[in-house]
Amino acid sequence: MTGAPTEGHHAAHTWHEARQRAFDVATPIPPGPVPLRSALGRTLASNALALQDMPHYASSAMDGWAVNGSGPWILSEPGQRLAPHQASPIVTGGLIPPGAKAVLRSESGVISTDDDGLPILALGGAAKPGEPRNGQHIRKAAEEAAEGDILLKAGTLLNPAHVALAALAGLDHLEVLGKPLVRFLLTGSEVIAQGVPQPGQVRDTFGPQLGAVVELLGGIAGEQLRVGDSYEEWVAALQDTEPLPGEPETEAPADVVITTGGTGRSGTDHFRKAVAELGGRLLIDGIAMRPGHPAVLAELPDGRFVLGLPGNPLAAMMALFTVGSPLLAALGNGQLQDVAEVPCGAMIDADPGRTRLMPFTLVYGLASPAQHTGPGMMRGLAGADGVMVVPPHGVQLGELVPAFALPWGKPLPAPKSAEDKPRKATVRPQKKSPSGPVDWSALDA
């Protein structure tokens, strides 16, 4: 599984190729049991069956008295078998004693005494004629389900009511489809976690939101670890160290590690070298797109994927959408999301050799490129409706351009009818790219 990092500045994959490759390299995680508290939002892998009758005993639906026959009734101790014309106190949910035929509501009975001064139960208060009828106010056993009945079918996306039903049935775990656990390795000695950054410092934009985005993309957000910029720290952080004997394991092994920064090719960028030292191989080493072209996807010998995001926040988000989204979908038994189309509200010039990912807002049904979309900016994405995937040959005003919705946003509007549909962007011949490695150093991250 070992492989040497690709040298040079050649971006081996187009945007579409990188996206497809990230999906193809992953194998779905097998199903497994999870405790009920972790089952919400998961997809059931196998039918959940009733372990016994539900309810598994006949119980009272009211506070009152369990009775046998017609009244007045001689009072008996709770739980004892009732002979005809006997009654015993019972509460809602209480076990119906042997011999009981019905439950008399507390508001329909009165306690009095017979001629010998012994307590008896008689109808009174709000009692209705003929009350109680045989079986009245008794919840029968197996009223909701019989033992072996299917309570939840495989493929169900579990909501709180489903989880409550499983608990009611006495289940402690549910078998669900696999879902990738993601851990985060956040780097950068210049990054601060709070307060206003001084010159030479930047605020941490990844810690507060990256886990939430991963959850939206179908992963499970695990622990975050912040390390410095030294090579030794990189290697140590990427190693999947086992807990010491007697030391509890706090989390299951990660399926994916997401790193931030360190994917460039300067002396302080250690991603590729650290992966090589650990015996890993590079699956994607740069993408012909901007922002986010230095994104790297690797696989370690233990099967973990390592997704290296650029250090600039917008560039990192575009890389996460391009590579992380299909990777998490494949691991989580999902599908590669279809790319939609939107009519472009501006003319966008050609940029030969690379795809541009442009956050946009919808203005009168047209996708208008957002402002403030530099690699280190987030203002444009914060107000965007989606992201346009602008091909290298550019787009004319009104042409359809590939686009995708944001994981936290609304779906993109469906295309109009054929007669109203704008013409689709045509592929124009491109000038032949120069042979040899392409120098990406002039590109923004």
Side-chain angles (χ1 to χ4, degrees):
M1 189 175 287
T2 61
T6 303
E7 297 299 332
H9 291 174
H10 177 64
H13 298 282
T14 67
W15 183 82
H16 292 280
E17 289 170 348
R19 188 169 174 269
Q20 186 67 51
R21 180 158 175 75
F23 184 80
D24 291 341
V25 296
T27 302
I29 297 171
V34 297
L36 296 189
R37 65 178 180 275
S38 302
L40 189 63
R42 302 292 293 270
T43 299
L44 197 62
S46 57
N47 294 338
L49 307 180
L51 302 180
Q52 59 183 357
D53 292 345
M54 295 175 59
H56 57 285
Y57 62 91
S59 63
S60 174
M62 295 284 178
D63 291 340
W65 297 269
V67 299
N68 183 349
S70 57
W73 299 273
I74 300 171
L75 289 174
S76 175
E77 291 296 322
Q80 293 183 356
R81 171 175 290 276
L82 298 181
H85 309 296
Q86 280 190 328
S88 62
I90 198 168
V91 295
T92 302
L95 177 67
I96 297 296
K101 307 299 183 183
V103 170
L104 179 68
R105 299 178 301 162
S106 57
E107 56 266 38
S108 298
V110 293
I111 300 294
S112 60
T113 55
D114 61 11
D115 294 339
D116 298 324
L118 299 174
I120 59 171
L121 171 66
L123 292 177
K128 298 177 181 178
E131 188 176 355
R133 301 184 307 276
N134 192 33
Q136 191 172 13
H137 303 316
I138 291 179
R139 296 171 179 162
K140 297 179 181 178
E143 203 171 47
E144 187 169 9
E147 181 181 348
D149 280 357
I150 297 176
L151 301 178
L152 299 168
K153 292 185 178 180
T156 300
L157 184 63
L158 296 169
N159 63 32
H162 296 140
V163 175
L165 175 59
L168 189 65
L171 297 168
D172 296 320
H173 295 80
L174 289 172
E175 187 87 3
V176 297
L177 295 183
K179 201 171 185 179
L181 174 63
V182 181
R183 288 181 179 158
F184 305 92
L185 177 56
L186 311 180
T187 67
S189 56
E190 78 283 8
V191 178
I192 63 172
Q194 58 186 9
V196 178
Q198 300 300 312
Q201 296 179 329
V202 293
R203 270 296 295 268
D204 173 21
T205 60
F206 297 117
Q209 54 84 25
L210 198 53
V213 179
V214 162
E215 296 269 357
L216 291 172
L217 294 176
I220 301 172
E223 64 182 357
Q224 293 185 1
L225 176 65
R226 179 168 294 285
V227 299
D229 292 325
S230 73
Y231 175 68
E232 291 73 20
E233 288 176 288
W234 265 87
V235 173
L238 284 177
Q239 286 177 326
D240 190 20
T241 56
E242 295 290 333
L244 296 174
E247 190 177 86
E249 186 171 349
T250 57
E251 269 191 1
D255 301 293
V256 179
V257 177
I258 292 181
T259 69
T260 60
T263 60
R265 298 183 182 273
S266 72
T268 58
D269 294 323
H270 307 302
F271 184 100
R272 295 167 181 80
K273 184 180 178 183
V275 166
E277 179 164 327
L278 295 175
R281 60 176 181 143
L282 300 184
L283 304 172
I284 297 173
D285 187 10
I287 307 169
M289 72 178 193
R290 60 184 304 185
H293 76 88
V296 186
L297 178 63
E299 185 180 15
L300 298 178
D302 59 13
R304 285 179 299 153
F305 291 98
V306 186
L307 172 57
L309 302 180
N312 282 318
L314 183 61
M317 294 301 287
M318 296 302 106
L320 181 60
F321 296 155
T322 300
V323 180
S325 178
L327 177 69
L328 295 176
L331 290 169
N333 298 266
Q335 300 296 320
L336 185 62
Q337 182 184 7
D338 291 333
V339 179
E341 289 181 325
V342 292
C344 189
M347 185 181 77
I348 302 174
D349 292 334
D351 191 0
R354 54 182 172 255
T355 298
R356 282 160 294 170
L357 301 183
M358 293 187 173
F360 68 85
T361 55
L362 289 171
V363 181
Y364 300 112
L366 298 175
S368 177
Q371 302 297 312
H372 309 292
T373 55
M377 300 178 182
M378 288 300 290
R379 187 174 175 184
L381 185 64
D385 296 310
V387 177
M388 286 190 290
V389 184
V390 179
H393 57 71
V395 179
Q396 298 296 313
L397 176 65
E399 283 187 308
L400 289 176
V401 61
F404 57 87
L406 298 170
W408 55 81
K410 298 178 181 178
L412 296 180
K416 296 181 180 179
S417 59
E419 56 271 18
D420 297 331
K421 199 173 182 180
R423 61 192 180 91
K424 188 172 182 178
T426 56
V427 178
R428 305 182 187 88
Q430 298 297 307
K431 294 181 180 179
K432 188 175 181 181
S433 300
S435 59
V438 178
D439 184 4
W440 294 94
S441 59
L443 287 181
D444 292 325

